[in-house]
Amino acid sequence: MSNREKLRSLLLNLDNRSYKAYKDIKGSYNFPDFTLIIDHVQGDPFAAPSKVRVKIPQAIAGFPEQLYNSLSREIGLRDYLIRQFDQMAREISGKRGTGKSGLIAITRYGQEILERTAAFVSKKEVEVRFVVGLPAQGRRILGRQAAAMLCEDIPEIVAAALLYDSLDKSAIQKQVETVEDADWLRQQLAENNLVAFVADGAILPRRSGVDDRPLQDEAIPFQSPESLRVEFACPNRGKITGMGIPAGINLIVGGGYHGKSTLLKAIEVGVYNHLPGDGREFVVTNPAAVKIRAEDGRSIAGVDISPFINQLPQGRSTTNFTTPNASGSTSQAANIIEALEAGAKLLLVDEDTAATNFMIRDRRMQQLISKDKEPITPFIDKIQQLYADYGVSTILVMGGSGDYFDVADTVIAMDNFQPHDVTAKAKAIAREYVTERSAEGGRKFGKITSRIPLPESIDPSRGRRAVKVKVRDVDEVAFGTEDIDLTAVEQIVDSGQLRAIAAAIVYAKQRYIDRQNDLPTILDLTIGDLENEGLDVITDYPQGDLAYFRRFELAAALNRLRTLAVK
């Protein structure tokens, strides 16, 4: 262990030397209030920046234990510190030469409060992980500027962003209590026979398709219809009321631009916690909810889609369906079966992103095209069986087909972003205007078959590198020589989740994908390790840019690997 002055001297002595000489600074250094640890030094000014940590003894950081004495509170506090560090780093760090020189940055984040590896809090210490762009001119070290960054800027950021006495104590308290209350609400859903809860006063619309912050001036606060209103007493905020969406088949209907999809989107991301003031911080959803859509062109490996599709032309099997280029209907069928295989208990479907021929076959089409000529059993004929046979509920946005009134348990109409319980009216309409369509697909949903992934089909290597994975954006992972397209997996909300998912696939292959374990078992074992040991278990050395993900998104990424083969 060296001290601050030794690091400063070392950096000054490196001035004007070749950039690779920066490798000499790797190690730990004692500062007056914290320890600085340099884990990885970048190879040149244009490479990925260097990875750095600070560890502050709790005796100096000074955070009261009540702010992190539960996992919910701890994650809320960690998230608050990440955002404070980022704000201070943006103010202090600046351009200091070529490439990434002068950069001080922490992981990216959005409106969600996720468990991340960028910050940790315990009785012993506060640890924060970030990156720095070590300064250079061309490929020559700027030692004086590096000394200013590491020995002056970082201590200033630590003092302003990571010490309790420097921060807004009421804001911290509000954030940890908000997260704890949201987690508590989510736990109440199942015992109250609910699959989602939307609080009165919630602000659901967003500013734009690329700005996930709440709409401000024109937003209409959400108010539950009286017939669906439920009340809870949260641990911190006390009484809260809102709309409880019951287990079973739920339709969200209404005219265009009246808030149907906005409500579903809020429910979709209600599997995660949100910032105080986001507007959706008390919109909570069953944690086993999965958004389903059609996905033309995706690959499918050995999925039993026979509950929905049978008797394909040329005698192609649908009990072991494999294709590199799925249609809208086959992809949506596979997405449902894969979600069920992974343990989904709530399906979220928006007709705007669904395959029309998969969702409904009306009476007229049934008359024109007989069932023996139509391989698809539409979702309308399976949705009740799915709930009856497997306890899987559905929330479905539907604006174009009243046939679903026959199978719905609850119908919610959105009018100018306000919900109305129109179940009785929808049922009366269904009785008056009988569709006379014939139910298809038998009396049972069908079997959900678990598959066994073959390890040789999952290869993260590229060239001489045994593992080469890279996240390009929030939608795509380069995995070895393959690209995994996750554009249609809408519940991935953060690039840190993708990095963690890619690492988890490699981890699972090394330990659990063995030609014996089926996919649910692999998910159980992998997620179990993460819950017991943290996200660090899937990386070779501490990384600060990973974020919590669910088993469903891990399964989705594995299922979209085009080389995947199963037995």
Side-chain angles (χ1 to χ4, degrees):
M1 182 82 72
S2 303
N3 61 29
R4 175 183 186 173
E5 294 313 312
K6 182 168 182 179
L7 175 60
R8 186 193 304 274
S9 176
L10 179 57
L11 289 167
L12 293 176
N13 289 334
L14 291 176
D15 191 51
N16 207 38
R17 289 181 60 186
S18 168
Y19 199 90
K20 291 188 181 299
Y22 265 134
K23 298 287 185 184
D24 294 346
I25 69 171
K26 185 177 179 181
S28 298
Y29 301 89
N30 269 332
F31 282 58
D33 291 338
F34 63 91
T35 300
L36 176 70
I37 304 164
I38 301 171
D39 288 308
H40 172 77
V41 177
Q42 64 202 96
D44 67 66
F46 300 94
S50 303
K51 297 182 185 294
V52 178
R53 288 180 284 158
V54 292
K55 288 188 174 185
I56 312 158
Q58 193 60 265
I60 293 171
F63 290 94
E65 190 176 344
Q66 60 93 7
L67 292 175
Y68 57 91
N69 60 3
S70 70
L71 182 59
S72 296
R73 287 177 168 244
E74 179 195 333
I75 291 171
L77 176 57
R78 286 161 59 181
D79 176 88
Y80 187 88
L81 296 179
I82 290 168
R83 294 171 194 266
Q84 291 299 307
F85 185 101
D86 179 62
Q87 183 178 327
M88 288 305 304
R90 289 175 187 271
E91 292 179 12
I92 290 174
S93 67
K95 188 71 174 173
R96 282 190 162 103
T98 306
K100 296 182 174 66
S101 294
L103 174 72
I104 302 175
I106 202 163
T107 189
R108 295 179 181 178
Y109 49 80
Q111 292 296 104
E112 293 80 16
I113 295 177
L114 303 178
E115 183 175 354
R116 302 177 186 275
T117 57
F120 296 88
V121 182
S122 68
K123 291 181 183 179
K124 178 184 177 184
E125 64 193 8
V126 172
E127 177 181 333
V128 173
R129 302 170 181 179
F130 53 101
V131 296
V132 299
L134 295 171
Q137 191 61 49
R139 283 182 166 76
R140 292 289 169 181
I141 288 174
L142 294 176
R144 291 184 180 278
Q145 295 197 24
M149 276 185 70
L150 297 182
C151 300
E152 296 171 23
D153 291 354
I154 289 176
E156 186 177 348
I157 294 170
V158 169
L162 302 181
L163 305 184
Y164 182 60
D165 285 341
S166 302
L167 299 170
D168 184 335
K169 298 176 177 58
S170 63
I172 297 174
Q173 188 73 29
K174 184 175 184 179
Q175 177 145 323
V176 300
E177 289 181 353
T178 296
V179 174
E180 187 172 57
D181 282 347
D183 279 338
W184 182 88
L185 279 168
R186 200 172 285 108
Q187 291 167 4
Q188 307 311 304
L189 294 175
E191 29 183 281
N192 287 277
N193 198 37
L194 301 175
V195 292
F197 171 80
V198 184
D200 288 332
I203 302 297
L204 305 187
R206 301 294 96 185
R207 295 188 187 182
S208 74
V210 294
D211 188 344
D212 201 36
R213 292 175 296 172
L215 186 67
Q216 293 178 314
D217 298 337
E218 301 173 4
I220 300 171
F222 188 93
Q223 288 297 319
S224 173
E226 196 58 42
S227 58
L228 295 175
R229 181 171 279 121
V230 293
E231 180 181 316
F232 294 102
C234 296
N236 300 296
R237 67 174 284 134
K239 177 182 174 182
I240 187 171
T241 61
M243 183 174 76
I245 300 181
I249 316 305
N250 298 274
L251 294 190
I252 301 173
V253 301
Y257 308 102
H258 278 265
K260 302 187 302 296
S261 295
T262 299
L263 173 58
L264 188 72
K265 181 66 178 180
I267 293 167
E268 171 189 322
V269 295
V271 298
Y272 303 120
N273 293 327
H274 290 78
L275 288 171
D278 171 78
R280 303 169 298 184
E281 57 266 53
F282 297 116
V283 178
V284 296
T285 306
N286 185 314
V290 177
K291 178 69 181 297
I292 300 294
R293 58 176 294 166
E295 194 175 347
D296 288 27
R298 66 153 289 195
S299 61
I300 297 172
V303 178
D304 183 354
I305 59 173
S306 63
F308 294 109
I309 300 177
N310 274 297
Q311 300 173 327
L312 285 177
Q314 291 87 49
R316 294 182 62 193
S317 170
T318 60
T319 58
N320 181 22
F321 185 74
T322 301
T323 180
N325 187 25
S327 66
S329 56
T330 55
S331 64
Q332 190 164 348
N335 287 345
I336 291 174
I337 298 298
E338 289 168 351
L340 299 175
E341 180 187 22
K345 286 300 178 184
L346 171 63
L347 303 183
L348 309 174
V349 185
D350 190 330
E351 67 172 343
D352 283 351
T353 55
T356 302
N357 62 337
F358 180 83
M359 297 300 294
I360 182 70
R361 209 161 80 92
D362 65 19
R363 177 63 171 164
R364 289 176 174 174
M365 191 60 71
Q366 287 180 326
Q367 289 295 306
L368 182 64
I369 307 295
S370 62
K371 180 56 185 170
D372 63 339
K373 302 294 184 183
E374 174 52 76
I376 302 171
T377 297
F379 191 53
I380 191 172
D381 292 320
K382 289 294 182 180
I383 194 169
Q384 285 185 325
Q385 297 172 0
L386 192 52
Y387 183 58
D389 296 352
Y390 293 102
V392 176
S393 298
T394 301
I395 300 177
L396 170 62
V397 167
M398 178 59 68
S401 175
D403 285 3
Y404 272 88
F405 295 171
D406 290 318
V407 296
D409 299 311
T410 306
V411 184
I412 300 165
M414 295 299 292
D415 182 2
N416 196 25
F417 289 88
Q418 290 301 303
H420 302 273
D421 182 357
V422 296
T423 306
K425 184 176 181 180
K427 291 298 185 183
I429 291 170
R431 288 191 297 271
E432 183 175 356
Y433 300 98
V434 180
T435 68
E436 296 183 350
R437 69 176 301 277
S438 301
E440 301 176 358
R443 295 185 177 183
K444 293 289 185 180
F445 179 81
K447 187 178 179 184
I448 299 170
T449 306
S450 297
R451 299 161 298 152
I452 298 175
L454 300 180
E456 61 271 21
S457 70
I458 304 165
D459 184 6
S461 67
R462 186 169 188 172
R464 297 180 180 179
R465 302 189 65 168
V467 174
K468 176 65 174 176
V469 296
K470 184 178 181 180
V471 173
R472 296 205 173 102
D473 50 42
V474 78
D475 295 328
E476 189 173 78
V477 175
F479 188 86
T481 59
E482 296 293 323
D483 291 336
I484 305 176
D485 183 357
L486 294 164
T487 307
V489 184
E490 298 179 38
Q491 286 166 296
I492 294 176
V493 296
D494 190 280
S495 58
Q497 292 176 304
L498 278 192
R499 278 186 285 272
I501 287 168
I505 293 175
V506 176
Y507 176 87
K509 183 193 174 177
Q510 293 169 344
R511 289 163 178 78
Y512 302 128
I513 300 177
D514 58 1
R515 302 181 70 90
Q516 302 298 319
N517 289 326
D518 63 13
L519 185 58
T521 302
I522 292 165
L523 297 174
D524 288 344
L525 293 170
T526 303
I527 297 299
D529 287 352
L530 299 183
E531 290 175 348
N532 293 330
E533 303 179 54
L535 286 167
D536 278 352
V537 74
I538 59 178
T539 57
D540 294 333
Y541 61 89
Q543 305 278 345
D545 57 0
L546 306 182
Y548 158 86
F549 59 88
R550 305 183 307 157
R551 62 190 289 123
F552 307 105
E553 285 70 57
L554 175 57
L558 191 57
N559 283 321
R560 284 159 182 77
L561 179 61
R562 288 190 171 273
T563 58
L564 178 68
V566 301
K567 70 171 184 177

